[in-house]
Amino acid sequence: DHSTPNTTELTTMQITEGPDCPPPPDKIVRSPAKHRIAGIILIVMCSVMATTKTSLVRYIADIPTGEIVAVLGVYCTCAYCVIASHMGISLIRFPRAKFVILRGALAASANVCKIWSVKNLNYGDATALVFTAPLFTGIVARIFLREKYTIAHVFSTVVGLVGITMIAKPGFVFGARKEETETEWWYPVIPLLAAIFLALGYCVQRSIGKAVSSFTVSFYLVICQIIAGTIFNFVSRADWVIPECHLPRLLLLIAALLTGTMFASLNRALALIPATTAVLIRNLDTVLAYLSQVFVFGVATDAVSIGGAALVMSGTILITLTKILDLTCGVEF
């Protein structure tokens, strides 16, 4: 029978099977392998750029932290405006505007909390608490985004937390040093807030997906960074400083280039791979920071730190291979 289907049936078939329509709930959608690999490469690049930027900023001792954050934001804003104008990307009219603003506010809040923690807590305590972000990200992503949370994610999270603790050597695990002063009970809450804000920001960016250009999201992210850095500088009552020599200005410019590229790469990566996978791979930040301290700044190392770095790397490699090969790894929570 060569009868032609009626218009209603044809329209229904196009609507339910068209490329712009979501797949049926009973079908499992797997992203192409090239997208997963590209997302992982972008996340690894983010870790490298973040570590390099931090190393550069450490040389700028005379400029307050809030001013550094604000100046980096100004540089990045100018760069994003030029790139968006050249590529024809709108920075004013775009979908999901509330989510984009929320993403920027969460990232800026996390940055301020992290900076405050590093300045007011032992560096090891602050690092260990901030890098609990994978734990919160897995929970939030599972509840709100319905992302997979398998045995591999659990193992990588636990191994990563143990490894970071061995590298950072927080006082609440290894004992406080004699030169450290006692802090208020609520001080450790601030780095935990940084971890929660990071987790929420990753999940918000994941929900935005490819609907908004990564440059547009990054533009509003650095705008929020400017506001947060300015507020932080005024709250801490720090003076605004103009560098007397050209080296700090050059370092700030390079750090801004790395920051802008890192934000755009991170936002793009979160459109390609799950938030839980991304934040677990970002544990590489700790390993790279540890390596920079040893080989660039000449800080002495020990067997415990080396073992911690090995644990973080093993957890990162496991979750990376799991994502590249698209393995289910058994039980899903």
Side-chain angles (χ1 to χ4, degrees):
D1 184 10
H2 298 285
S3 59
T4 305
N6 59 46
T7 306
T8 304
E9 293 175 347
L10 183 60
T11 304
T12 304
M13 181 179 64
Q14 290 175 342
I15 291 175
T16 56
E17 298 182 2
D20 297 329
C21 298
D26 58 339
K27 292 185 179 180
I28 300 175
V29 179
R30 303 186 185 277
S31 59
K34 63 179 182 180
H35 288 177
R36 299 195 298 270
I37 295 174
I40 291 170
I41 291 174
L42 288 173
I43 289 294
V44 173
M45 287 174 54
C46 287
S47 293
V48 174
M49 288 184 285
T51 305
T52 306
K53 182 199 73 172
T54 303
S55 300
L56 292 175
V57 170
R58 286 189 62 176
Y59 282 104
I60 311 173
D62 298 331
I63 302 178
T65 302
E67 182 178 349
I68 290 176
V69 174
V71 171
L72 292 179
V74 171
Y75 283 153
C76 292
T77 301
C78 296
Y80 285 145
C81 288
V82 173
I83 294 173
S85 176
H86 177 73
M87 298 180 64
I89 300 173
S90 175
L91 297 176
I92 300 177
R93 297 180 179 179
F94 50 88
R96 303 186 183 181
K98 294 181 180 180
F99 285 92
V100 172
I101 300 300
L102 178 61
R103 163 71 172 131
L106 288 170
S109 301
N111 199 27
V112 170
C113 290
K114 184 177 179 180
I115 292 172
W116 187 95
S117 302
V118 172
K119 292 178 70 69
N120 292 275
L121 284 173
N122 169 267
Y123 182 77
D125 294 355
T127 302
L129 291 172
V130 168
F131 275 88
T132 57
L135 176 62
F136 296 112
T137 304
I139 296 173
V140 175
R142 180 58 182 165
I143 294 174
F144 294 102
L145 301 180
R146 302 298 180 185
E147 289 188 354
K148 292 181 180 179
Y149 201 71
T150 64
I151 292 294
H153 291 91
V154 174
F155 180 79
S156 297
T157 301
V158 173
V159 167
L161 289 176
V162 173
I164 290 168
T165 303
M166 292 171 65
I167 294 173
K169 296 183 179 64
F172 57 81
V173 175
F174 289 86
R177 299 178 179 86
K178 294 181 180 180
E179 65 273 12
E180 292 179 1
T181 58
E182 187 176 353
T183 59
E184 297 289 341
W185 65 268
W186 52 268
Y187 275 34
V189 175
I190 306 301
L192 286 176
L193 285 177
I196 294 172
F197 288 145
L198 282 172
L200 292 173
Y202 274 46
C203 293
V204 169
Q205 179 60 45
R206 181 66 178 164
S207 67
I208 294 173
K210 301 178 183 179
V212 184
S213 168
S214 59
F215 283 103
T216 302
V217 178
S218 301
F219 173 79
Y220 285 94
L221 196 154
V222 295
I223 291 292
C224 292
Q225 295 276 45
I226 294 172
I227 298 173
T230 303
I231 293 175
F232 183 84
N233 217 43
F234 279 111
V235 170
S236 60
R237 298 181 180 180
D239 297 327
W240 294 87
V241 179
I242 299 178
E244 297 181 357
C245 62
H246 295 293
L247 180 59
R249 301 175 187 176
L250 177 61
L251 293 178
L252 276 175
L253 186 60
I254 298 174
L257 176 63
L258 292 171
T259 301
T261 307
M262 179 185 66
F263 284 156
S265 300
L266 175 61
N267 292 330
R268 178 58 181 168
L270 287 171
L272 300 174
I273 60 176
T276 307
T277 302
V279 76
L280 284 171
I281 297 175
R282 282 300 302 269
N283 281 342
L284 279 175
D285 289 23
T286 308
V287 177
L288 295 175
Y290 164 71
L291 293 176
S292 69
Q293 287 185 355
V294 173
F295 295 104
V296 178
F297 297 101
V299 178
T301 185
D302 53 34
V304 175
S305 298
I306 296 174
L311 284 176
V312 174
M313 286 298 298
S314 63
T316 303
I317 292 172
L318 171 64
I319 200 65
T320 301
L321 291 176
T322 301
K323 193 59 187 175
I324 291 177
L325 301 177
D326 202 17
L327 302 177
T328 56
C329 294
V331 181
E332 179 180 336
F333 297 97

